[in-house]
Each structure stands twice: as structure tokens, then as C-alpha cells.
Amino acid sequence: MPLVWSDELVSGIKEIDDQHKEIFRRINELQDAAKEGRGREYIKELVDFLDDYVATHFSAEEGLMKKYNYPMAELHINQHRYLTRRFEEIKEELSTGHKLIATIMAHSVLGMWWVEHILKIDKPLVAYIREKISEGG
């Protein structure tokens, strides 16, 4: 089932929303490639893309947390670390030649994690930042 971007996922911070949309697009491309029998080839491309992109995305979010002194930063950062560990497991499967396992893990782990993370972790961060901005902070 493809990841569907919806208004419910919009944070209102263009940089973050654009990054989330790109991650969704790439994960959906993995699903499309798998349906066409190309999943094992595409997984390497996805991992290469996410290796840098996720670090950049997390860094942007964590920079906002620091800038606005976000009180739930530790929880949020722990969520980022969790995904980073899971992503390392996917990379390990890929490096040992287990492309099918890496493909399955990437779709199930990465896809659902992003939706849950955006709804339950990113949304409160954005609400907090908006409140701080409206207060002049």
C-alpha cells in the first residue's frame, strides 16, 4: 500500500513538508519497483538517497528544536535515533547481499515509521514552534 500524503500530515513548515514528501515519494518508488520485479535493484538507490537525506532532515528538525528550546527534544531525538538504527540494519542486510530482506524491511519499517512520526512526534514540535513564533520568540 503506497504512502499517501494528506493535509493531516502537513506541518506548515515548507522545508520539513517538502522533505517528508520526498521521502514518501522515494518509499513509494520502492513499492512500485518491487511490484515490477525491480525492488532488489531499486533498494540500493533508495538506501544511497536516504543515507544522506535522512541525516539532513533530522539535522534540520533538531536545529529547530534547539533554536526554540523544545521541551520534548529528547523524545524526538530518540525517535530519530531509533530510525537511524533500523536504517543501519537495512544497510547491513543490503551489504551482505540480502536485497530482498532489505527491500521488505525498507518498505515496512521506513514507510509506517514516517507516518507515525509525522503525526505523533513532528506535529507537536510544529505546534510548539508556531506558538513560540507567535509569542515573538
Side-chain angles (χ1 to χ4, degrees):
M1 185 157 129
L3 297 176
V4 177
W5 186 259
S6 69
D7 289 345
E8 184 180 26
L9 298 169
V10 172
S11 73
I13 299 175
K14 185 175 178 359
E15 175 186 14
I16 300 297
D17 287 339
D18 287 349
Q19 290 172 356
H20 286 159
K21 287 176 189 176
E22 181 63 15
I23 291 166
F24 273 41
R25 187 181 75 73
R26 297 288 182 127
I27 292 169
N28 285 335
E29 282 183 8
L30 172 63
Q31 184 178 17
D32 292 344
K35 285 179 186 175
E36 297 168 5
R38 299 180 299 104
R40 292 181 190 186
E41 291 76 32
Y42 183 76
I43 188 64
K44 173 79 169 102
E45 183 179 328
L46 177 66
V47 165
D48 288 346
F49 164 77
L50 288 175
D51 209 13
D52 182 52
Y53 200 80
V54 168
T56 300
H57 175 70
F58 287 169
S59 179
E61 283 189 357
E62 291 170 15
L64 289 170
M65 287 182 242
K66 184 175 182 177
K67 177 179 179 178
Y68 292 101
N69 197 26
Y70 185 51
M72 301 295 291
E74 184 177 351
L75 169 70
H76 200 128
I77 291 168
N78 284 340
Q79 287 285 313
H80 289 173
R81 288 182 183 144
Y82 169 81
L83 182 70
T84 301
R85 284 191 306 273
R86 295 303 308 266
F87 184 62
E88 290 301 320
E89 292 170 9
I90 292 167
K91 288 175 19 183
E92 178 64 26
E93 291 295 341
L94 187 60
S95 74
T96 58
H98 300 133
K99 289 183 179 180
L100 180 58
I101 293 171
T103 301
I104 293 167
M105 287 176 66
H107 189 266
S108 65
V109 171
L110 299 179
M112 292 315 301
W113 185 90
W114 281 106
V115 172
E116 291 293 313
H117 182 77
I118 292 168
L119 291 174
K120 295 179 180 174
I121 305 296
D122 283 349
K123 292 287 248 190
L125 168 63
V126 171
Y128 178 82
I129 291 170
R130 286 182 177 204
E131 183 179 317
K132 286 295 186 184
I133 290 171
S134 71
E135 293 172 355

